[in-house]
Amino acid sequence: MTTNTDLFKDRKFLAIIGDENTVSGMLLAGIGQVDVINERTEKNFFIVDAKVDNPMIEAAFDNFTVERKDIGILLINQHVAERIRYKLDDFKSPFPTVLEIPSKDKPYDPEKDTILKRVKLLTGDE
Amino acid sequence: MDEIPKPPAIDLLLFRYLDLIDSYMTLTSLLTRVHTAMHVNLAKANFVAPHGERFGPERFPTTMEARWRVDVTVADYEPPARAEVAEEPAKAAGDKDAEDESCSLSGEDSELGGPSILELVRIIKLGGGIPTFRVINRHSEDADLPTDRLSLNPHRGDSAGAGGERNVDHAENEDESDDSYEKVDPFPAAQADPGDTTTAKAIPPRKKPSPHDPLFWISALPTQTLRTAQSQAVVFVTEVVPGLATVAAEMRAVEIKIRRLRKHRAKGLKDKSSQEAQSKDVKAPDVKPTSS
């Protein structure tokens, strides 16, 4: 495990990819950060509604995990994570930490959680 | 030849890993409860909002600044140390009120017969993990956040929904006796009788809404349910999420260690068996077939 401080010293924001209700709650808590850089708006949240397709979610995920270096924790609704599951499975970097959270309509299912899948893998390959 | 690691090293790590899995599951259930309660209160706030208004993302300003920041500290795996919930800006600023609020927060639920969320997170958040995540306030003047109105006790109510509803009531009752946080009083002058000095004294001075508080970005006179939803969202963000992130990171670190030790052990065993095979070959007499 690396202890290089460059990996995490600027990771000061939480980001979220989720449905409208979850994002509203998180914005109400005060995690929202919107910057305008070179006439381009950069938000740390991405709302997934009926119009959003999988490539857009993938792009948001890549933006928060690969392109942006200021995200420390990424929250993602589990039903949204299911749509880009292979991306989450491939994501091995320690930063940002990706956490799956339930949504208003879909309860949390431990069977689908990436971290608990890793547990199965570790305890099953002895 | 590499020394074969003793089996207890892996066993100890696996034991630790099981502990972490348990913590992860407990925190996940806590997360679900807080999240559900937050949604219930947000839905209630939307229901009672005038003119069919909704408190959705579109209500927030187009440019905003996060009031919480993630603080990551990376320590060596050993020796284990206990992670604490960060409330540094409040303490640094000497904000006594905020300190008192955090104390009452941990105390009030204990009186009801179970540990509060903060206590539970402190117990669960196992130290020694790398990295340790904390979510702290960026603005010291915002230190008196509405976490003092934390209303969710994991030991109250069997189902998340029922627990959430009961806790809303609890939060409302609690708020009646809580003067530390600003209360929205739409008709302060009408209620107070000018001749009655005792009533005038009883009204606490209203605090100005903080410019960093998202509650006042979306509503000039936020309802009680909206405030409660915000309190729960703040607990979600500042307590449960960093706890989960820390446990997840430690799980990853332990996983890596276990895998390395397993590889090391397998390699050691392979080397040992090959050496034994070689020594057997050396000891065995060479019997050459005689050609007639």
Side-chain angles (χ1 to χ4, degrees):
Chain A
M1 189 88 174
T2 180
T3 55
N4 188 1
T5 51
D6 292 340
L7 267 176
F8 62 85
K9 68 174 183 183
D10 293 326
R11 296 192 176 273
K12 54 189 176 186
F13 296 123
L14 286 118
I16 179 158
I17 301 174
D19 58 21
E20 202 178 318
N21 290 305
T22 308
V23 172
S24 299
M26 295 300 103
L27 292 183
L28 192 59
I31 69 160
Q33 174 81 20
V34 184
D35 297 311
V36 181
I37 302 165
N38 298 331
E39 297 179 2
R40 187 173 157 234
T41 308
E42 243 185 22
K43 297 176 181 176
N44 67 339
F45 55 92
F46 182 77
I47 301 165
V48 180
D49 54 21
K51 294 173 195 167
V52 175
D53 54 5
N54 290 2
M56 288 165 83
I57 302 170
E58 284 171 16
F61 184 81
D62 285 340
N63 180 33
F64 292 143
T65 54
V66 181
E67 290 163 29
R68 288 183 64 166
K69 304 295 178 195
D70 58 350
I71 305 295
I73 300 173
L74 172 62
L75 304 173
I76 183 165
N77 275 148
Q78 197 174 44
H79 75 277
V80 178
E82 272 299 296
R83 291 169 66 176
I84 54 162
R85 180 58 65 193
Y86 74 97
K87 278 262 175 198
L88 270 83
D89 290 342
D90 290 348
F91 183 71
K92 306 280 184 204
S93 173
F95 294 105
T97 294
V98 180
L99 295 176
E100 290 176 33
I101 58 171
S103 61
K104 191 180 175 184
D105 306 319
K106 309 267 172 63
Y108 173 79
D109 183 2
E111 293 288 318
K112 292 174 182 170
D113 194 312
T114 311
I115 293 169
L116 294 175
K117 276 184 182 172
R118 280 208 326 258
V119 172
K120 270 190 181 174
L121 209 65
L122 187 85
T123 51
D125 63 0
E126 175 78 274
Chain B
M1 187 190 123
D2 296 335
E3 197 179 310
I4 301 168
K6 292 172 186 171
I10 293 176
D11 289 351
L12 283 174
L13 280 171
L14 282 170
F15 187 72
R16 175 80 184 129
Y17 194 62
L18 284 175
D19 204 13
L20 288 168
I21 294 167
D22 182 52
S23 302
Y24 186 81
M25 293 307 293
T26 313
L27 276 172
T28 309
S29 64
L30 197 60
L31 176 133
T32 309
R33 283 175 180 222
V34 178
H35 198 257
T36 308
M38 181 194 80
H39 277 309
V40 167
N41 282 305
L42 203 55
K44 282 182 180 177
N46 284 329
F47 183 73
V48 298
H51 314 300
E53 288 177 343
R54 278 192 77 253
F55 299 108
E58 67 281 350
R59 291 288 292 266
F60 289 86
T62 49
T63 56
M64 56 181 136
E65 195 184 348
R67 75 192 307 197
W68 302 103
R69 72 175 175 85
V70 178
D71 182 41
V72 187
T73 48
V74 174
D76 291 334
Y77 186 73
E78 289 168 280
R82 205 176 165 85
E84 290 295 331
V85 179
E87 279 186 297
E88 281 177 351
K91 283 178 185 168
D95 193 339
K96 204 188 166 192
D97 290 344
E99 218 168 284
D100 291 345
E101 282 163 12
S102 67
C103 292
S104 66
L105 177 65
S106 55
E108 77 194 15
D109 284 343
S110 303
E111 287 170 14
L112 297 167
S116 68
I117 286 183
L118 289 189
E119 282 171 349
L120 203 66
V121 170
R122 281 196 185 105
I123 293 162
I124 289 164
K125 220 192 266 181
L126 300 157
I130 42 170
T132 302
F133 289 86
R134 299 185 309 169
V135 174
I136 56 176
N137 200 336
R138 294 176 90 181
H139 311 284
S140 56
E141 66 267 30
D142 279 354
D144 52 345
L145 280 163
T147 49
D148 62 314
R149 297 171 333 123
L150 173 69
S151 57
L152 209 88
N153 185 343
H155 293 267
R156 299 176 75 212
D158 294 322
S159 68
E165 282 203 25
R166 256 188 264 172
N167 292 327
V168 171
D169 299 339
H170 170 58
E172 282 169 0
N173 297 336
E174 196 178 276
D175 210 57
E176 285 169 13
S177 60
D178 181 11
D179 294 335
S180 60
Y181 189 68
E182 65 226 24
K183 289 178 179 176
V184 175
D185 186 2
F187 310 107
Q191 286 177 0
D193 188 324
D196 189 0
T197 50
T198 52
T199 316
K201 275 180 189 173
I203 296 170
R206 285 183 67 186
K207 286 183 185 178
K208 278 187 179 178
S210 165
H212 308 293
D213 192 347
L215 194 65
F216 295 99
W217 298 348
I218 59 168
S219 177
L221 295 171
T223 56
Q224 185 56 50
T225 45
L226 194 60
R227 285 167 185 269
T228 312
Q230 192 201 27
S231 308
Q232 283 154 349
V234 167
V235 169
F236 183 87
V237 166
T238 59
E239 302 297 333
V240 187
V241 165
L244 258 180
T246 304
V247 170
E250 192 173 349
M251 281 173 79
R252 191 186 279 265
V254 174
E255 276 168 27
I256 291 167
K257 261 192 150 156
I258 290 170
R259 283 187 202 283
R260 278 183 189 160
L261 279 174
R262 277 179 180 172
K263 267 187 191 174
H264 194 63
R265 185 178 63 181
K267 194 184 167 195
L269 286 170
K270 200 178 170 185
D271 287 348
K272 198 180 174 185
S273 60
S274 64
Q275 271 191 347
E276 279 175 359
Q278 276 179 359
S279 62
K280 273 182 188 172
D281 289 346
V282 171
K283 281 178 188 173
D286 293 336
V287 182
K288 289 181 182 176
T290 51
S291 56
S292 58

